[in-house]
Amino acid sequence: MKSVVAAPPMTTTETVPSQLAGWRLWIAAALVLLLLPHIPGLNADFGRSLLSQMGIAAVFALSFNLLLGQTGLLSFGHAAYFGLGGYATIHLMRAINHGVALPIPLAPLAGALTGLTFGILFGSVTTRRAGTIFALITLGIGELVYATMFMLPTYFGGEEGITASRTRGPSLMGLNLGPQLQVYYVIAIWAMVAAALMRAFIRTPVGRMCNAVRDNPERAEFVGYNTARVRFVAFAAAGLFAGLAGGLHAINYEIVSADSASALRSGTVLLMTYIGGVGHFIGPVIGAAVLTWLQASLSGYTSAWLLYLGVFFMLVIVFAPSGLAGLILMHGPIVRSRAFASLLRAYAIALVPAVITVLGAVLLIEMSYRVSTQPELGTRMRLLWITVDAATPWPWLASIGVAIAGFATFRSTWPIVAAAWRRATLETKPPPASR
C-alpha cells in the first residue's frame, strides 16, 4: 500500500520583509479583536453577543474550508462534529459545575478532542472515496448523528438539549464568564489560536499535499502519495476545529441541542464559506461575519430574511465566484493606483440605480409575504418611510415600475464600470520586460 511520504524540500520565495508583513497582519487582527467590543454600536451586550457568534462561526467556517477549499472535499454533514464537540463541552461544564477543578475557558478542549475522535472514526470510512460519493456519505453520517441525538436522550437531552452554567467553576485569571465581554474575549482568543493553527497546517507538507490532491489527485497518486490518507488527515483536522467551534458555542449559549448538528447548520457553514471565498484563507472569516450579521439583523425586520439570504448567495456565486474576499483582494493593486478614483466614480454612478432596483424588489417581496403568509396582520404595512396598502393595485404597479426602471438604468451603467475597470487594470499591469 502506498503511504504518505515526506514532501521534498520546497524552495521558498518569502523574504524577511514578507514574513514581517505576515506577523503585522496577525498583530493587527489581534488589535482589532481587542478593540471591537468597545466600538460604539458594538459595546452593548447585543453587539458583543453578535461578535461572539461571529467568532464561533469563523472557526467553524475555517474548519470547513480545510475540507472544501484546501482538499476539494464537499461535506454535507460537517455540523455533526460541531454538535458532538458542543455536547462534550456542555457535559464537561456540568461536571465542572459539580466540582471538577477545571476552568470553564479550557472546556472547549473537550469539544476539540471529541471532534478529532469522531473525525478519525468517520473519516476512516468517508475519505476512501472523493467527489460525489464522499459528499453523499457525509450527508448520511450527518443525518445518522442527528437522528442518534433523539434516540439517546440520556446523553443528548432529547429536544430540550443539555444545559450548564459557565459561571459556576474555578476562575481563570479572574474571569467568571458572567459578563458577555469576558465571553467574547475567551472566544476571540480561541478563534485566534485556531486560525493560527489552521494557517500553520496548510503550510506544512501535508497541507501542501492537500492542495495537490484537490487540484490533481491522479498525478499526486502517480508520484507516490496515498490520496486517501491525505484526505483522512485533512478530515480529522477539520473535525478537531469544528469540535472546538462547538465547544465555544456551548460556552456562549450555555445550552446545546440537536439543532447544533442539523443539516441546516451544515448548509449554513457551506454558505459562509462560499460567500466569503473558498480560495482564500480569510474568505470563510468574512463569510462567517457577513452571514451572521445578516441573520441577526434581517430576521428582526422581515419574515422573508431566508429569501434575501438565498438571493444574496446566488448573486455572489454568479457575479463573484471567488467570493467577497476575492472581490476585495482583486482591488488591492488598483487602490494604490491613480485609476482608483475614476473606478470609484463609476461605482458611484452604478450604485444609485442599483439601490433603486433593490428598493422596488424589496417592496414587491414584502407585500407578497404579507399577503401570502401573514394575512392576519392586514394589508396595510410600513416599509422604511412609506406606508402602503397591499390590497390596492397602485403599490404593486409602482414597485414593478421602480424595479424595472432602476434595473434598466443600472444595466446601462455596466459599460461605464467595465471601461473604468479596464483602464484601472491596464494602469496597474506591470510593463513588459525589456530584452
Side-chain angles (χ1 to χ4, degrees):
M1 178 182 292
K2 296 178 181 178
S3 60
V4 179
V5 296
M10 299 180 64
T11 303
T12 178
T13 58
E14 291 185 88
T15 61
V16 173
S18 66
Q19 294 175 351
L20 293 176
W23 281 107
R24 286 198 294 266
L25 289 176
W26 286 102
I27 294 172
L31 290 176
V32 168
L33 291 178
L34 180 67
L35 298 176
L36 268 179
H38 302 286
I39 295 177
L42 296 174
N43 56 358
D45 281 345
F46 174 78
R48 290 166 178 172
S49 176
L50 181 62
L51 291 174
S52 301
Q53 296 173 48
M54 289 179 179
I56 297 168
V59 176
F60 190 28
L62 282 171
S63 73
F64 183 78
N65 197 51
L66 287 180
L67 292 178
L68 181 60
Q70 297 300 319
T71 321
L73 298 174
L74 176 59
S75 172
F76 288 135
H78 198 56
Y81 313 98
F82 180 93
L84 291 169
Y87 273 106
T89 302
I90 205 74
H91 278 289
L92 179 58
M93 291 172 62
R94 289 169 68 91
I96 293 172
N97 295 161
H98 289 86
V100 174
L102 182 71
I104 293 289
L106 299 180
L109 288 173
L113 181 60
T114 302
L116 175 62
T117 301
F118 282 94
I120 293 172
L121 177 63
F122 295 142
S124 62
V125 177
T126 58
T127 56
R128 295 179 183 180
R129 304 292 296 272
T132 305
I133 301 299
F134 171 85
L136 293 177
I137 295 174
T138 58
L139 176 62
I141 289 178
E143 291 301 307
L144 174 66
V145 172
Y146 180 67
T148 304
M149 290 179 176
F150 294 100
M151 297 168 61
L152 302 175
T154 303
Y155 182 82
F156 295 107
E159 294 183 355
E160 296 180 357
I162 301 292
T163 61
S165 174
R166 66 184 180 221
T167 59
R168 293 169 50 195
S171 63
L172 178 65
M173 300 175 62
L175 298 176
N176 61 6
L177 297 188
Q180 185 63 42
L181 180 61
Q182 293 185 9
V183 178
Y184 162 78
Y185 279 128
V186 169
I187 293 174
I189 291 172
W190 275 116
M192 283 291 294
V193 171
L197 290 176
M198 282 185 271
R199 181 65 174 172
F201 172 78
I202 65 177
R203 296 167 71 87
T204 62
V206 176
R208 301 294 189 186
M209 281 310 305
C210 289
N211 297 157
V213 170
R214 174 199 62 194
D215 297 335
N216 197 329
E218 292 82 6
R219 184 173 181 181
E221 191 168 5
F222 178 77
V223 296
Y225 290 93
N226 188 322
T227 56
R229 191 166 297 178
V230 173
R231 293 193 295 265
F232 172 75
V233 172
F235 195 93
L240 183 151
F241 291 108
L244 175 64
L248 296 176
H249 172 89
I251 289 180
N252 187 52
Y253 291 100
E254 298 179 285
I255 184 173
V256 178
S257 57
D259 74 299
S260 62
S262 64
L264 177 61
R265 194 171 295 272
S266 293
T268 300
V269 73
L270 176 65
L271 292 180
M272 290 178 183
T273 308
Y274 266 109
I275 287 173
V278 174
H280 306 278
F281 183 79
I282 193 64
V285 178
I286 296 175
V290 170
L291 196 58
T292 303
W293 177 76
L294 288 176
Q295 287 177 324
S297 58
L298 287 180
S299 60
Y301 290 99
T302 173
S303 58
W305 64 278
L306 282 174
L307 175 63
Y308 291 120
L309 286 182
V311 172
F312 177 65
F313 174 70
M314 289 190 296
L315 290 176
V316 170
I317 294 300
V318 172
F319 295 103
S322 57
L324 298 179
L327 196 62
I328 295 170
L329 293 175
M330 67 189 296
H331 286 79
I334 299 175
V335 170
R336 297 185 291 270
S337 69
R338 294 174 298 176
F340 184 60
S342 62
L343 184 61
L344 283 181
R345 285 193 295 270
Y347 285 161
I349 293 172
L351 179 63
V352 175
V355 171
I356 294 174
T357 305
V358 170
L359 288 177
V362 167
L363 285 172
L364 285 172
I365 292 172
E366 293 301 321
M367 288 190 295
S368 299
Y369 259 75
R370 173 61 68 89
V371 172
S372 61
T373 65
Q374 299 173 318
E376 69 279 2
L377 298 180
T379 57
R380 291 186 63 83
M381 53 193 302
R382 184 172 182 81
L383 299 173
L384 300 177
W385 63 91
I386 306 171
T387 301
V388 298
D389 187 354
T392 62
W394 305 114
W396 296 89
L397 295 175
S399 301
I400 294 172
V402 168
I404 293 176
F407 182 76
T409 307
F410 177 54
R411 181 65 180 83
S412 67
T413 63
W414 292 3
I416 299 175
V417 174
W421 180 259
R422 283 195 297 270
R423 289 195 297 271
T425 52
L426 286 175
E427 185 169 325
T428 56
K429 187 176 181 180
S434 57
R435 295 183 179 180

